Amino acid sequence: MDLTRRKALALGSATLAIASLSGLPAFASLTDEAITALTGGAEVTEGGIDLIAPEIAENGNTVPVEVSAPGAVEIALFAAGNPTPAVATFKFGPLAGSRSGSTRIRLAKTQDVVAIAKMEDGSFRKASATVKVTIGGCGG
Amino acid sequence: MASGVKPRVKVPKKASAGDVVTIKTLISHKMESGQRKGDDGALIPRSIINRFTADFNGQNVIDVTVEPAVSTNPYFQFEALVPEAGEFKFTWYDDDGSVYETAKKIAIG
């Protein structure tokens, strides 16, 4: 096999692609682990929960997010690309006027924000939104 | 005790019995995440508000578990059911053991 410059370049970019791919599951699993800890491995279905987050956040230090899930007892927020994915968990008491809440969060970089709601019947719902971050918010 | 901590809440002064009101809360707190490095390159130790609760006449409205990923000056907005006249009590729990409290009365009218 004669190794031309072009082939060498192709080879190089292929390795790069593999390297960057292998970096991703590490983050995903951290969030997945946190979600499994919450759900106990139960199936998580999409829908029945709203997550409102901006598409683009110029400043990752304060990103407004809003979650609502009618019939939820608990809603947890995760940021998949942060050093630690857990963000906040809203638990609703007997006098909660609606199953919703909003807060401002820090995002280290462009990433998915995930909301998991635990419903009254014990099932779990999921929603996610991608937020583009121009300036990260975790120091680093 | 973290310095300059000041809780602020916005609650309507009155509502009809059975109404759902929107409540906004904010506490000035630096929320040091424990991920940031200082000028000397060493990690700045974590110092955050880790829990926030709101109660009305002793019954819970919302209980939030807060992680370092919540922004500086943690802000929470939520809705509460007002069955009667009474008092909302808001409590923030700091990592260092400090507890910050504030209360707001609401009348029926």
Side-chain angles (χ1 to χ4, degrees):
Chain A
M1 176 184 162
D2 53 342
L3 193 67
T4 61
R5 186 168 167 272
R6 182 166 301 199
K7 275 183 186 161
L9 275 174
L11 207 67
S13 61
T15 355
L16 200 72
I18 292 164
S20 59
L21 268 180
S22 63
L24 277 173
F27 282 119
S29 72
L30 206 61
T31 314
D32 287 347
E33 256 173 49
I35 292 171
T36 312
L38 178 77
T39 62
E43 201 188 330
V44 180
T45 50
E46 301 265 345
I49 169 168
D50 282 328
L51 171 64
I52 303 165
E55 251 172 63
I56 298 171
E58 276 183 16
N59 185 349
N61 269 314
T62 53
V63 182
V65 291
E66 192 182 332
V67 284
S68 72
V73 283
E74 196 177 319
I75 303 177
L77 276 173
F78 299 98
N82 274 7
T84 47
V87 174
T89 307
F90 294 91
K91 289 191 189 82
F92 302 103
L95 286 184
S98 66
R99 309 299 158 145
S100 66
S102 51
T103 183
R104 296 176 188 148
I105 66 171
R106 284 197 263 244
L107 297 176
K109 57 180 183 188
T110 298
Q111 57 181 277
D112 285 342
V113 176
V114 181
I116 304 282
K118 185 183 181 186
M119 310 306 278
E120 271 155 356
D121 60 2
S123 66
F124 292 92
R125 302 292 170 85
K126 176 188 173 186
S128 60
T130 307
V131 181
K132 278 194 182 132
V133 175
T134 342
I135 307 167
C138 282
Chain B
M1 193 169 172
S3 59
V5 178
K6 190 178 169 228
R8 274 174 281 177
V9 294
K10 210 171 201 178
V11 178
K13 285 202 174 58
K14 55 183 179 180
S16 306
D19 257 8
V20 169
V21 296
T22 300
I23 294 176
K24 295 173 182 182
T25 72
L26 187 141
I27 185 165
S28 342
H29 192 282
K30 59 185 185 321
M31 291 290 274
E32 197 57 67
S33 67
Q35 304 282 353
R36 231 158 56 89
K37 287 190 177 83
D39 292 338
D40 56 356
L43 278 182
I44 302 170
R46 167 182 150 151
S47 162
I48 69 154
I49 296 275
N50 54 44
R51 185 172 171 224
F52 165 72
T53 60
D55 297 275
F56 182 71
N57 289 352
Q59 276 202 292
N60 184 249
V61 176
I62 198 165
D63 187 338
V64 188
T65 310
V66 186
E67 305 287 344
V70 169
S71 298
T72 309
N73 305 334
Y75 166 83
F76 300 104
Q77 186 190 324
F78 52 92
E79 291 183 316
L81 192 69
V82 183
E84 71 231 347
E87 193 177 54
F88 278 104
K89 201 175 146 206
F90 306 94
T91 318
W92 291 262
Y93 298 84
D94 199 324
D95 263 354
D96 62 14
S98 316
V99 175
Y100 308 103
E101 286 178 324
T102 187
K104 273 270 154 58
K105 283 196 170 64
I106 188 163
I108 296 297

